[in-house]
Amino acid sequence: MAQDTESDLGTLVVCNACFCCLESCYCKFPECCGCVEKVNCLCCECFESCGLIEPRCILCAGQTQCCCHDYRYSCPCSDAVPCACTLLPFCLICPKCQCCATLADINPGISNELNVDPTAVTVCSALCCCIQGCYCKCPDCLGCAAFCVQLCCCRSECYQKITCENITCCKCVGHCCCFDSRCAVPCDEEVPVACTLCPFLVVVPCDKVGCCKTIQDLGYTPPPYATSVVVVRAQPAPITQQPERAP
């Protein structure tokens, strides 16, 4: 499943709507495979997803970050979880001897699935493919996040965090396979005001009355950071007349 969490609003056909709550059909394949849910309540944000990804040569892998605690594992070891071992807490002996080593010290090119700064994770204990560390970078450490990959192509992910961006009273957006459900108080560009008289027949807003309307038809506006690409065509060179040759 793709990393982006938002459904393509141009393909969401509104089935039922009651002002700030909408239910739609999401039939864009293969993006509709899996489940995604994102909830905002004041300054708290929660996200969960599960679905299929491109096959990887990994039997199982995962990472959990809850406030200052970071735990990750992988079988076999990978770029995100390099092979390491400690003898005492914070005393690394493999792949090199160092006290209070960070993940970046073990592998400078370590991959990052949860946007956790590897230079701020101090290895506390490690045993081959399992690593525990202390993540004390504030305010990035506030909240919880986790992801898991099993059987090479099944992935689940979730996080809970405190954010000062897009603060709203209450908002929930999610889809499970072909079913999309969203609700927001107050309504916004992702959850526009709408109402249906019967399934697939939109009667509010009054200027958008019709059947099989998409959320984009109901007044969705792109984010302010969306920009359009202007193609500048080169002007043809002027044609000059060749002087006539004397007979």
Side-chain angles (χ1 to χ4, degrees):
M1 187 173 53
Q3 290 295 328
D4 53 321
T5 63
E6 301 300 335
S7 306
D8 186 355
L9 299 183
T11 62
L12 294 179
V13 180
V14 178
C15 175
N16 293 310
C18 184
F19 297 106
C20 60
C21 298
L22 293 88
E23 296 176 348
S24 310
C25 293
Y26 183 44
C27 300
K28 186 178 181 181
F29 187 83
E31 286 83 354
C32 65
C33 296
C35 299
V36 177
E37 183 179 21
K38 185 176 180 180
V39 180
N40 293 79
C41 183
L42 299 180
C43 61
C44 297
E45 182 176 289
C46 178
F47 169 82
E48 294 182 3
S49 71
C50 63
L52 300 178
I53 60 174
E54 295 181 0
R56 302 180 182 180
C57 297
I58 294 178
L59 181 61
C60 64
Q63 180 181 349
T64 301
Q65 179 261 320
C66 186
C67 295
C68 297
H69 179 257
D70 180 275
Y71 174 71
R72 56 187 68 200
Y73 63 92
S74 177
C75 181
C77 295
S78 62
D79 292 337
V81 187
C83 183
C85 187
T86 56
L87 181 62
L88 296 172
F90 300 101
C91 183
L92 183 71
I93 59 173
C94 179
K96 59 182 179 180
C97 295
Q98 184 177 347
C99 291
C100 299
T102 65
L103 292 176
D105 294 332
I106 300 177
N107 182 8
I110 191 170
S111 60
N112 194 356
E113 294 280 356
L114 296 181
N115 294 325
V116 175
D117 186 1
T119 62
V121 179
T122 303
V123 177
C124 175
S125 62
L127 180 61
C128 297
C129 57
C130 300
I131 300 177
Q132 294 191 67
C134 294
Y135 183 48
C136 300
K137 185 178 181 179
C138 191
D140 297 344
C141 65
L142 298 179
C144 300
F147 88 94
C148 178
V149 177
Q150 296 178 344
L151 301 179
C152 304
C153 61
C154 299
R155 176 188 174 99
S156 61
E157 181 179 358
C158 67
Y159 72 76
Q160 297 176 352
K161 67 177 183 179
I162 299 175
T163 177
C164 296
E165 299 178 358
N166 302 323
I167 297 178
T168 184
C169 180
C170 182
K171 180 178 179 181
C172 179
V173 177
H175 84 84
C176 185
C177 295
C178 297
F179 180 76
D180 182 276
S181 177
R182 53 189 63 213
C183 179
V185 179
C187 296
D188 57 12
E189 70 277 359
E190 291 181 318
V191 189
V193 177
C195 188
T196 55
L197 183 63
C198 60
F200 299 102
L201 178 58
V202 177
V203 295
V204 175
C206 298
D207 59 340
K208 306 291 183 180
V209 176
C211 293
C212 299
K213 293 287 185 178
T214 66
I215 292 182
Q216 192 170 15
D217 295 334
L218 299 181
Y220 165 74
T221 55
Y225 53 80
T227 57
S228 58
V229 179
V230 179
V231 180
V232 179
R233 300 182 182 274
Q235 297 295 331
I239 299 176
T240 59
Q241 295 182 355
Q242 298 293 334
E244 297 182 357
R245 296 181 178 179

